[in-house]
Amino acid sequence: MSATSSVEFSGQVVVISGAATGIGKSSAQLIAARGAKIIALDFNKSALDELAKELNLAANQVHICDISDQGQINKTIATILKDHGTIDALINTAGIVGPSNTQFEDVNWPDFEKVLQVNLYGAIWLTQAVIPSMKAKKYGRIVHLASIAGKEGNPGLSPYNTSKAGMIGFVKGVAKEFAPHGVIINSLAPAVISTPMNANTSDETLKYMISRIPMGRVGQPEEVAEIVAFMASKACSFTTGFTFDASGGRATY
Ligand SMILES: NC(=O)c1ccc[n+]([C@@H]2O[C@H](COP(=O)([O-])OP(=O)(O)OC[C@H]3O[C@@H](n4cnc5c(N)ncnc54)[C@H](O)[C@@H]3O)[C@@H](O)[C@H]2O)c1
């Protein structure tokens, strides 16, 4: 990266949900290395502590927050704004797979609803919480981790497909509302990425998903973090409401 690249973050406050592991952690590592003050949110305390140690984060840069709880989100964002004065970018990577390799007719509603609460309502509530301050200063970047599942639908993953398709639709419309106010909102749709999330995905589902990827392999979280960093930076200045791709060629749209 050249010294003049605008994919750098000096002086910026970047909030990352789901920062403790996987794509969130790789994004935190990369964006911290590019000069941001990272604020890490997750409900996995031990993994969050490890990240805080690695990146030398102060206590007020680390928040235990369950994004399926609107009250916790509002309290956390208010505390961050009080402590750090601003939020330049929000990167929402917190998410769960929920029931996998499960036919729709066998999914019970509480399990379905839980996936919506984390992946979709969490994204909506985080966006609602950060928008007013971004709008007031006429600058903000919001990045939501969607999925190829939200574009194409994977069999046996109906709650996850629904949550990510909902997120993509949410981003499309809300981005247009805030486009005149300097707040840029996009999502990113990866195919299978090698992270702890896939530890519980059935072999059958994983095999199916890799078979659909022309590159014939899973992606690495560091590869996704490079795109996330661009999306969260000043360099991403004329694209909003879009769903970026990280699918090894599976999606070419
Ligand atoms: N790994 C993949 O194959 C893949 C593919 C497409 C999209 N995604 C999406 O990318 C995002 C990141 O996934 P990942 O692969 O890094 O998974 P991951 O499981 O490694 O990371 C997700 C993080 O979110 C946290 N989290 C989960 N529920 C939470 C909640 N209610 N409140 C706060 N934190 C919570 C977890 O503790 C974890 O640290 C997710 O939204 C996922 O749906 C992942």
Side-chain angles (χ1 to χ4, degrees), residues 4-184:
T4 54
S5 170
S6 43
V7 189
E8 65 87 39
F9 295 88
S10 352
Q12 292 199 20
V13 176
V14 178
V15 175
I16 305 183
S17 81
T21 63
I23 293 167
K25 182 176 187 176
S26 290
S27 302
Q29 290 166 326
L30 180 64
I31 292 168
R34 291 184 181 172
K37 184 199 269 188
I38 296 293
I39 314 292
L41 273 52
D42 209 291
F43 66 4
N44 180 342
K45 186 177 179 331
S46 56
L48 205 48
D49 286 346
E50 268 176 46
L51 178 78
K53 209 166 151 195
E54 180 191 324
L55 297 183
N56 207 13
L57 303 180
N60 67 7
Q61 288 175 258
V62 181
H63 292 269
I64 301 291
C65 177
D66 180 345
I67 70 150
S68 68
D69 179 335
Q70 189 179 20
Q72 285 190 40
I73 287 178
N74 288 343
K75 202 171 150 204
T76 303
I77 297 298
T79 305
I80 293 167
L81 287 169
K82 181 164 72 62
D83 287 356
H84 304 284
T86 189
I87 295 173
D88 296 289
L90 164 74
I91 299 167
N92 171 36
T93 78
I96 57 172
V97 179
S100 73
N101 202 26
T102 308
Q103 294 298 297
F104 169 64
E105 59 198 346
D106 298 326
V107 180
N108 68 48
W109 178 244
D111 291 343
F112 202 118
E113 193 173 33
K114 183 69 200 171
V115 177
L116 296 183
Q117 273 167 352
V118 178
N119 295 357
L120 181 57
Y121 300 175
I124 294 167
W125 293 331
L126 278 165
T127 306
Q128 275 184 325
V130 299
I131 282 275
S133 69
M134 290 181 170
K135 191 177 166 188
K137 69 171 183 170
K138 298 185 168 37
Y139 181 88
R141 298 286 181 269
I142 300 177
V143 177
H144 289 296
L145 259 294
S147 171
I148 188 77
K151 279 183 169 180
E152 297 204 341
N154 283 318
L157 278 172
S158 54
Y160 189 73
N161 297 333
T162 308
S163 68
K164 297 299 189 179
M167 175 189 270
I168 290 169
F170 167 69
V171 164
K172 284 181 181 180
V174 84
K176 290 185 177 73
E177 288 180 34
F178 294 96
H181 302 285
V183 183
I184 284 178

